[in-house]
Amino acid sequence: MKDNAIFKKIIFAISLIGPGLFLIGYNIGTGSITTMAKVGAEYGMMLTWVLLLSCIFTYVLMVAYGKTTLVTGNTALFNIKHKLKYGSVLAVYIIIALVIGEIMALMGIFGIIADLIQEGSRLILGGEGFSTFWITLVLVVALYSLFWFGNYLIFEKVLVFFVALMVLSFIVVFVLLKPDFTTIVSGMAPSIPDEPGVLRLIAAIAGTTCSAAVFIIRSTVVAEKGWTIKDLKHEKKDSLVSATMMFILSVIIMAVAAGTLHVMGLKLDNTVEMIKLFEPIGGEFAAFILILGIVGAGISTVFPIILIAPWLISDFTGKPRDIKSPMYRLLAFIGILFGFGMQFMEARPPLIMVFSQAFQAFILPAVAIPVFLLINNKELMKTNVAGLKENIGLVAVILFSLLTAYFAVAEFL
């Protein structure tokens, strides 16, 4: 009986942190791996402070967006559209900007996946391996078929296994490298190397961690969870779990890259250089673990990405979310076709991936400022308006978002 009671408590605890776990899976994907690996390769642990701030501000925004949803029972876009002056215009801008950002990410994801599968086929078969075009075509057809018939739950469980394998592998390599923790801690001290491209990488760190899309999606997940303002403590714990795990996993990836690619003098301009991340455990087996893990992480984020446009439109119009509706199927089809994007571009997938994450930082102010206005609206929030600490945190987030948005475009000016 005692064991049964403990088991029930564990299940109950897991159920309370559902949205946080969902967002970890969404956020820690190919974009995070590529960005953190590139940062670690080029600058070691010097930019850890950006990651730390991004995760702290991610927590602040997750709590704020969660709280407004708990009080109102409505999603973020609905509140922005109906409760803010010019809210409809702002909501349309957010939809367009997020869709553009996710399209760029989708192109980078398919490019990285295709390159890694091609490299895996080289290791197995020798020669040049499979064509990236045919790999992309097979993936697009297979994934859209799964989406059309809605029979991808088992498929997703398989992907979760590969993602877990990849995360475990990064942890193993991290332990084998035995990184100097004083180096990691020293990276907490704010400093910006005087080198070209560093500002865009700082923006990419913020964009892949403190992602604008995550906060909009979070409000939907919290609403579907059925929580109310009585669950605010659970919502805060859930946000803390999510932000903390994002930091730990991201810093591990960055440290592994710093201990491998940085030491080798590689800058991760080529997808295949990612395999060098697992040099410490060596051999083809290690390469396959990384390939399977990153491919799994990439594919697992394809479904949320191709769904983001119809999700946002449903929130904006107040219509129910039905993945079998004609609108969802059409928009998902158009979205997944962008997977072929890298076949017609000269830029390498890692660079497109980093650029897409930096673009997320560019649109962060459009997400940070509205929630500050909403959570301080007494008519909307009644007795649950933000307190002094919450407002200080949100003002800090807004300043951070404006700075990283500037960094995202500074090198193009």
Side-chain angles (χ1 to χ4, degrees):
M1 291 293 291
K2 186 177 181 180
D3 291 341
N4 189 44
I6 294 173
F7 177 75
K8 287 182 178 179
K9 287 182 179 179
I10 293 172
I11 296 298
F12 178 70
I14 291 173
S15 70
L16 292 179
I17 57 174
L21 295 178
F22 174 86
L23 293 175
I24 291 169
Y26 176 74
N27 230 28
I28 303 297
T30 311
S32 291
I33 295 167
T34 306
T35 300
M36 297 308 163
K38 189 167 179 62
V39 169
E42 296 195 19
Y43 300 106
M45 303 305 295
M46 289 179 65
L47 298 178
T48 309
W49 65 274
V50 183
L51 176 61
L52 179 63
L53 283 179
S54 297
C55 290
I56 291 173
F57 293 146
T58 295
Y59 168 76
V60 173
L61 283 179
M62 288 174 79
V63 170
Y65 267 103
K67 186 176 179 180
T68 56
T69 300
L70 294 178
V71 172
T72 65
N74 296 318
T75 57
L77 276 183
F78 183 93
N79 285 328
I80 290 171
K81 177 184 176 182
H82 293 282
K83 301 299 180 181
L84 294 180
K85 190 175 182 180
Y86 307 116
S88 293
V89 176
L90 178 58
V92 170
Y93 167 76
I94 291 172
I95 291 173
I96 294 172
L98 290 182
V99 169
I100 291 173
E102 295 303 310
I103 284 172
M104 288 191 293
L106 191 68
M107 291 193 296
I109 288 168
F110 269 94
I112 289 170
I113 290 173
D115 281 354
L116 287 175
I117 291 177
Q118 183 183 57
E119 182 63 19
S121 66
R122 283 175 183 160
L123 294 173
I124 296 173
L125 305 173
E128 296 183 358
F130 301 137
S131 163
T132 56
F133 176 83
W134 290 108
I135 292 170
T136 303
L137 178 62
V138 170
L139 285 172
V140 166
V141 172
L143 292 175
Y144 189 71
S145 297
L146 287 168
F147 172 82
W148 181 274
F149 293 106
N151 296 321
Y152 51 80
L153 290 177
I154 296 176
F155 181 69
E156 283 185 336
K157 290 179 181 178
V158 174
L159 292 179
V160 167
F161 168 77
F162 286 129
V163 173
L165 180 64
M166 177 198 62
V167 170
L168 180 62
S169 300
F170 270 110
I171 294 173
V172 169
V173 177
F174 179 79
V175 173
L176 289 175
L177 284 172
K178 297 178 180 177
D180 183 1
F181 283 94
T182 57
T183 304
I184 297 176
V185 173
S186 66
M188 303 289 186
S191 64
I192 300 177
D194 186 18
E195 295 183 28
V198 68
L199 296 183
R200 188 164 60 248
L201 275 179
I202 289 175
I205 294 172
T208 193
T209 308
C210 202
S211 171
V214 162
F215 307 117
I216 300 298
I217 292 173
R218 177 176 176 78
S219 70
T220 301
V221 177
V222 169
E224 291 188 349
K225 190 73 175 175
W227 286 352
T228 66
I229 192 60
K230 294 179 181 178
D231 299 296
L232 181 60
K233 287 185 178 179
H234 299 321
E235 195 265 338
K236 287 183 176 180
K237 289 178 182 178
D238 177 72
S239 300
L240 184 61
V241 168
S242 184
T244 302
M245 289 304 298
M246 285 180 194
F247 176 77
I248 292 171
L249 293 175
S250 297
V251 84
I252 285 175
I253 295 168
M254 191 188 295
V256 168
T260 53
L261 301 180
H262 187 63
V263 173
M264 298 175 192
L266 301 176
K267 292 190 175 183
L268 197 61
D269 293 327
N270 190 308
T271 307
V272 179
E273 288 179 357
M274 298 181 80
I275 294 176
K276 298 290 184 181
L277 287 165
F278 279 17
E279 192 75 22
I281 58 178
E284 292 186 358
F285 178 71
F288 281 125
I289 290 176
L290 184 62
I291 289 171
L292 289 173
I294 295 179
V295 168
I299 293 176
S300 67
T301 58
V302 168
F303 289 116
I305 288 176
I306 64 174
L307 281 171
I308 194 164
W311 266 347
L312 293 175
I313 291 172
S314 290
D315 279 0
F316 183 81
T317 59
K319 293 181 178 179
R321 289 175 287 276
D322 179 10
I323 66 170
K324 293 186 180 294
S325 70
M327 180 192 75
Y328 271 64
R329 286 177 167 175
L330 176 61
L331 291 178
F333 178 71
I334 294 172
I336 204 166
L337 287 180
F338 281 94
F340 288 100
M342 293 309 305
Q343 301 300 317
F344 306 99
M345 299 177 68
E346 293 184 5
R348 301 310 305 152
L351 298 179
I352 296 297
M353 199 75 244
V354 169
F355 183 81
S356 73
Q357 303 309 305
F359 184 81
Q360 289 283 351
F362 177 71
I363 60 179
L364 184 58
V367 175
I369 296 172
V371 77
F372 174 78
L373 298 175
L374 289 171
I375 205 169
N376 283 288
N377 185 328
K378 290 184 178 180
E379 181 183 347
L380 180 70
M381 299 296 292
K382 298 180 175 60
T383 58
N384 295 292
V385 292
L388 179 61
K389 290 182 180 178
E390 287 176 291
N391 278 322
I392 291 173
L394 286 169
V395 169
V397 173
I398 291 170
L399 294 175
F400 178 75
S401 71
L402 293 171
L403 181 63
T404 53
Y406 168 74
F407 284 171
V409 299
E411 292 173 3
F412 297 102
L413 299 177

